[in-house]
């Protein structure tokens, strides 16, 4: 296999984890950097190539670290800079990479920058934030945290002006019109990249600049700034990447790739909810339509595809019809909803149905883009909708059936969050250790699938996609091709068994080989190829030239 080092992210499997929730190495009830390091062998054996760590910087933790009070240090409970250096070194020695979340749009109101800015209107820091006498400016900007905020302006009583914030009011937006801010954020990036970090998942990228008469999202100035950041990284830290969190409509999301001179990757927010809509409707079209809209993208860029993450499953960028389907299918209890979205983990969303869970993973691993797994989903972890905000999907990782799910040796009362104990998802049963012992477990299945995905990394990671025409709307089928390699992927989205006739004249003479087991299927001939499919089942079939030794039967 030809290995193209600078394009490593195109073939990689990403794994997202909150340091706090992963493993507590010192028994204080809170996960830490050393804990992540101690679990690197697990992550490596699972098949993770690159870890994405949620914010670990100093923070008052009013938005779980997305409210940073010092960009150059680590939250003390999580560890030290030396712990972080060691984590990087040990990840790199296993051939793994690490990217970190970076919150660029805003900081905490506890940051010294903001404290100085509110000390007087004359403070040199004043212009690091966005001020107004009048809370009606920029009225075209939507409110994102609709459950908690009623305005993007908050009153600052001491200096008697409003400041601008797109998220919580304790997260004042930085003023990117100020060159000092633009330079400082590049210095922050340099600090971590110099340490050996492999890139950033940039938080909330659409919102850096504000302009009257616009939605204050995706402005040309924002794109120009990220291009400047990209140039800096390419020059000073070649091989490192930028991944955009831009929850936008397809064309606006795609724009973050620029002309291969902006972000290397962007989350595929348009695709994610449509996978769930397709399952609810038992219909392939929501996926086909959105994939046709989101490709092609430039050669050196890639989508980061995901099923779930640490936030609510956002429904901001879907039609109202799609939103209604999502709420009625996946959020029947009001506690399952948050802002414009659904705060649930993957397994509970799919009623813990193993076939459906396998199906969505098979989609995640075979659609164009690099897959991003969310910690715990590989073992089918549950959630707790009674915890506030998005905490219900950030509970302790379940390592074993020991006390505290093997996450921590602290007293249970001391844990940052209770582990999941509801009967169907209890850590006594759903945990790494137990699943390791059971050959048919979700964990062993996911591990196996990741190894298959790696075997076909190029065709799955870089190949083109072509949807196949047929009459059965319940079935999604496509061919991924890269060079001589071809993979035929077929998914039954329905809850019932079904059948499919596929006419495959261009592949006549080739033999389908089931990718997971190596089982051989009859050669493709001139007649339509016939498949029967169990409910929510799938096939990945490599199409190969038959050799003399693989005779029929
Ligand atoms: C992003 C993060 C989310 C956070 C918000 C504000 O959307 O994913 O967790 O609350 O930005 O920083
Ligand atoms: Ca700890």
């Amino acid at each position: 296999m030809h290995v193209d080092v600078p394009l490593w992210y195109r073939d990689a499997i990403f794994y997202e984890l909150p340091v706090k929730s992963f493993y507590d190495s010192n028994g204080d009830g809170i996960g830490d950097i050393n804990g992540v390091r101690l679990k690197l062998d697990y992550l490596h054996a699972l098949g993770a190539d690159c870890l994405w760590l949620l914010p670990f910087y100093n923070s008052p933790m009013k938005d779980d670290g997305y409210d940073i009070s010092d960009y150059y240090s680590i939250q003390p409970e999580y560890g030290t800079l030396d712990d972080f250096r060691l984590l990087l070194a040990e990840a790199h020695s296993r051939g793994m990479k690490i990217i970190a979340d970076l919150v660029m749009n805003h900081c905490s109101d506890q940051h010294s920058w903001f404290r100085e800015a509110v000390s007087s209107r004359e403070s040199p820091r004043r212009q690091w934030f966005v001020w107004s006498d009048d809370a009606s400016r920029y009225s075209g900007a939507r409110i994102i945290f609709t459950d908690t905020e009623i305005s993007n302006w908050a009153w600052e009583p001491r200096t008697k002006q409003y400041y601008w914030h797109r998220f919580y009011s304790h997260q004042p937006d930085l003023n990117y019109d100020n060159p000092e801010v633009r330079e400082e954020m590049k210095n922050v990036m340099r600090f971590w990249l110099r340490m050996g970090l492999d890139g950033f998942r940039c938080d909330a990228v659409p919102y850096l600049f504000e302009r009257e008469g616009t939605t204050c999202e995706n402005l040309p100035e924002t794109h120009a700034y990220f291009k400047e950041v990209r140039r800096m990284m390419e020059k000073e830290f070649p091989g490192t990447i930028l991944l955009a969190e831009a929850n936008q409509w397809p064309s606006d999301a795609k724009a973050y790739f620029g002309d291969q001179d902006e972000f290397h990757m962007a989350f595929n927010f348009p695709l994610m909810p449509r996978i769930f809509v397709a399952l609810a409707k038992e219909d392939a079209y929501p996926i086909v339509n959105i994939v046709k809209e989101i490709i092609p993208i430039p050669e050196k860029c890639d989508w980061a595809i995901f099923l779930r993450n640490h936030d609510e499953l956002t429904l901001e960028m879907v039609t109202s019809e799609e939103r209604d389907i999502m709420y009625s299918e996946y959020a029947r209890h009001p506690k399952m909803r948050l802002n414009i979205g659904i705060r649930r983990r993957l397994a509970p969303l799919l009623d813990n149905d193993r076939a459906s869970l396998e199906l969505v993973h098979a989609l995640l691993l075979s659609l164009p883009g690099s897959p991003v797994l969310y910690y715990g989903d590989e073992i089918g972890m549950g959630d707790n909708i009674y915890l506030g905000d998005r905490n219900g999907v950030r509970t302790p990782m379940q390592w074993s059936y020991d006390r505290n799910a093997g996450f921590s040796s602290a007293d249970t009362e001391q844990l940052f969050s209770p582990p999941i104990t509801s009967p169907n998802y209890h850590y006594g049963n759903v945990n790494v250790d137990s699943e390791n012992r059971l050959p048919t477990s979700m964990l062993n299945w996911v591990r196996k699938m990741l190894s298959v995905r790696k075997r076909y990394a190029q065709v799955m990671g870089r190949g083109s996609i072509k949807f196949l025409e047929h009459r059965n709307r319940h079935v999604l089928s496509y061919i991924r091709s890269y060079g001589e390699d071809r993979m035929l992927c077929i998914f039954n989205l329905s809850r019932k068994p079904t059948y499919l006739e596929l006419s495959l004249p261009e592949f006549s003479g080739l033999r389908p080989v089931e990718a997971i087991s190596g089982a051989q299927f009859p050669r493709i001939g001139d007649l339509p190829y016939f498949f029967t499919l169990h409910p929510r089942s799938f096939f990945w079939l490599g199409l190969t030239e038959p050799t003399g030794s693989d005779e029929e039967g």
Side-chain angles (χ1 to χ4, degrees), residues 16 52 54-55 63-67 101 103 105-106 144-145 166-168 171 201 203-204 207 245 247 269 309-312 314 389-390 394:
E16 170 190 7
W52 151 30
L54 267 56
D63 182 12
D64 224 350
Y66 284 91
D67 48 329
D101 223 299
V103 189
N105 177 65
H106 46 267
I144 295 168
F145 285 163
R166 289 307 300 270
F167 293 89
Y168 286 122
Q171 292 166 317
R201 176 267 191 192
D203 183 64
Y207 318 108
E245 187 220 14
N247 184 2
F269 278 100
N309 64 19
H310 64 291
D311 286 326
E312 69 274 26
T314 63
D389 204 337
R390 291 146 290 177
R394 303 176 185 179

Side-chain angles (χ1 to χ4, degrees), residues 109 114 118 126 129-132 151-157 161-165 168-173:
D109 61 1
F114 192 70
V118 300
R126 187 73 177 175
F129 298 90
V130 182
W131 299 98
S132 175
S151 166
N152 288 322
W153 291 107
W155 179 248
E156 202 290 300
Q161 269 188 317
Y162 295 96
Y163 61 88
W164 181 248
H165 63 89
Y168 286 122
S169 60
H170 59 73
Q171 292 166 317
D173 273 39

Side-chain angles (χ1 to χ4, degrees), residues 472-488:
N472 187 342
R473 287 185 78 107
H474 297 314
V475 178
L476 172 68
S477 60
Y478 47 80
I479 296 262
R480 302 292 314 273
S481 321
Y482 187 81
E484 295 293 290
D485 297 337
R486 273 153 303 214
M487 183 73 80
L488 169 60

Side-chain angles (χ1 to χ4, degrees), residues 361-375:
H361 277 91
L363 283 166
L364 174 78
L365 299 176
S366 68
L367 282 164
S370 296
V372 185
L373 304 172
Y374 184 50
Y375 90 102

